[in-house]
Amino acid sequence: MQATGNRERYTRQFTFSSMLECGYCGHKLSRRTRHQTTTTKKPVWQCMNATKNGIDSCPNCKAVDEVIIENAFLEAFRLLADNFDDVLQSVLNTIEDILKDDIELKRVKQLEKDISSIESKKSRLTDLLIDGKIEQEDYDEKKLSFQRKLHQLTEEKAYLEENIGQQKNISKRMSQLRQILENEDALDEFDRIVFESIVEKVIVGGYDEEGNPTPYKLTFVLKCDQTLKVDNAKADYRANQKGTKVS
């Protein structure tokens, strides 16, 4: 159970680090750990420009709690649920198109044939050495060449199989999500697969209508060229914790 939790935290960290972008200077955000009390810690995300070069490099940015970002996504997702056909349907169609295109599956089958062929050649090479039809030096050189090629093909095959599996997993999860929305149920906890499937990136920080910096403004840029905005994610999170958020 602990290993699963650690793996999920690592995956979430990798996901956010590639998707969170500073709204002031455009740099990526990095994850840091802060102490809530003497015994508890909390993960926060802050502009890498500010953390590496000093706050003067990006003075308007703030460290944003990871849980605030997750809560903001849920808030944005509730808006998405009201606009299901325009957004989520586009995502589902994209995933379905990928799964229908069997280029990767054909490549895996070809790789299996290539691997089998090289393994046969490697076996015959051993027979040639035993029969004295090839010198040890030539044998070692060709064997090394076969091993390198096998490693390359095996790595490519593993990558493609993992990619195919992830696409099927996303497709299944998104189909479940379709049913959730059609039943008018909301997503009640952060779902990494849904997040990665829908969101292209998250812009952290921005400005209000009067041009004042709003460091807790989050803009979710969706993969269907639309955006969902949460003007003050920190205030919304606190309100939700107190049960005062107006739906």
Side-chain angles (χ1 to χ4, degrees):
M1 180 66 71
Q2 183 176 0
T4 301
N6 290 337
R7 184 164 58 251
E8 172 63 24
R9 284 192 294 272
Y10 172 79
T11 304
R12 186 173 300 177
Q13 178 176 344
F14 178 79
T15 298
F16 278 166
S17 64
S18 63
M19 298 175 70
L20 301 186
E21 178 183 300
C22 178
Y24 301 111
C25 69
H27 281 73
K28 296 294 184 182
L29 273 64
S30 60
R31 194 177 196 254
R32 308 173 70 187
T33 300
R34 287 187 173 178
H35 287 276
Q36 285 181 297
T37 66
T38 55
T39 57
T40 60
K41 300 177 181 179
K42 65 177 180 179
V44 299
W45 290 85
Q46 190 166 10
C47 172
M48 292 180 65
N49 187 20
T51 56
K52 288 186 175 181
N53 303 316
I55 194 64
D56 291 340
S57 301
C58 190
N60 292 324
C61 74
K62 298 288 185 182
V64 182
D65 293 1
E66 187 170 270
V67 67
I68 289 177
I69 298 173
E70 294 175 355
N71 182 79
F73 173 68
L74 294 178
E75 290 295 312
F77 187 84
R78 293 185 181 100
L79 298 176
L80 171 63
D82 295 332
N83 197 23
F84 173 71
D85 289 336
D86 293 338
V87 180
L88 197 58
Q89 187 62 47
S90 176
V91 175
L92 286 167
N93 289 341
T94 300
I95 294 172
E96 289 169 0
D97 288 342
I98 292 174
L99 293 176
K100 288 177 182 177
D101 187 352
D102 60 354
I103 292 177
E104 289 187 342
L105 187 58
K106 289 180 180 178
R107 178 58 181 163
V108 168
K109 291 181 179 179
Q110 181 60 51
L111 286 170
E112 290 174 345
K113 292 180 181 178
D114 293 342
I115 290 171
S116 178
S117 175
I118 292 177
E119 288 176 339
S120 296
K121 291 178 181 179
K122 185 179 175 183
S123 179
R124 289 197 297 270
L125 183 67
T126 302
D127 293 336
L128 291 174
L129 179 66
I130 294 174
D131 294 340
K133 296 179 180 180
I134 188 173
E135 297 294 332
Q136 182 70 47
E137 184 176 351
D138 291 336
Y139 168 82
D140 291 339
E141 182 179 346
K142 290 184 177 181
K143 179 182 177 182
L144 181 59
S145 176
F146 285 148
Q147 287 175 333
R148 287 174 175 170
K149 187 63 176 177
L150 280 172
H151 177 74
Q152 178 184 348
L153 296 175
T154 302
E155 287 287 305
E156 183 182 356
K157 178 173 175 286
Y159 170 79
L160 290 174
E161 287 176 335
E162 181 180 1
N163 192 39
I164 291 170
Q166 287 177 343
Q167 289 171 358
K168 289 181 178 178
N169 186 31
I170 290 174
S171 180
K172 180 179 179 181
R173 184 66 187 92
M174 298 301 284
S175 295
Q176 294 172 346
L177 184 58
R178 183 201 296 270
Q179 295 177 354
I180 290 174
L181 292 181
E182 288 176 347
N183 293 330
E184 299 182 351
D185 293 330
L187 197 66
D188 57 3
E189 62 180 17
F190 183 80
D191 188 310
R192 182 179 62 81
I193 291 178
V194 173
F195 179 81
E196 291 179 346
S197 300
I198 295 174
V199 179
E200 183 71 31
K201 66 178 178 179
V202 184
I203 300 174
V204 181
Y207 299 90
D208 62 20
E209 295 179 354
E210 298 177 354
N212 300 311
T214 52
Y216 297 104
K217 178 179 182 178
L218 301 183
T219 302
F220 295 89
V221 180
L222 307 180
K223 291 184 177 180
C224 55
D225 297 326
Q226 294 191 31
T227 60
L228 295 171
K229 297 181 180 180
V230 178
D231 290 329
N232 192 332
K234 184 175 183 179
D236 285 352
Y237 175 72
R238 288 180 172 175
N240 280 331
Q241 292 297 102
K242 294 178 180 179
T244 59
K245 177 69 177 178
V246 178
S247 58

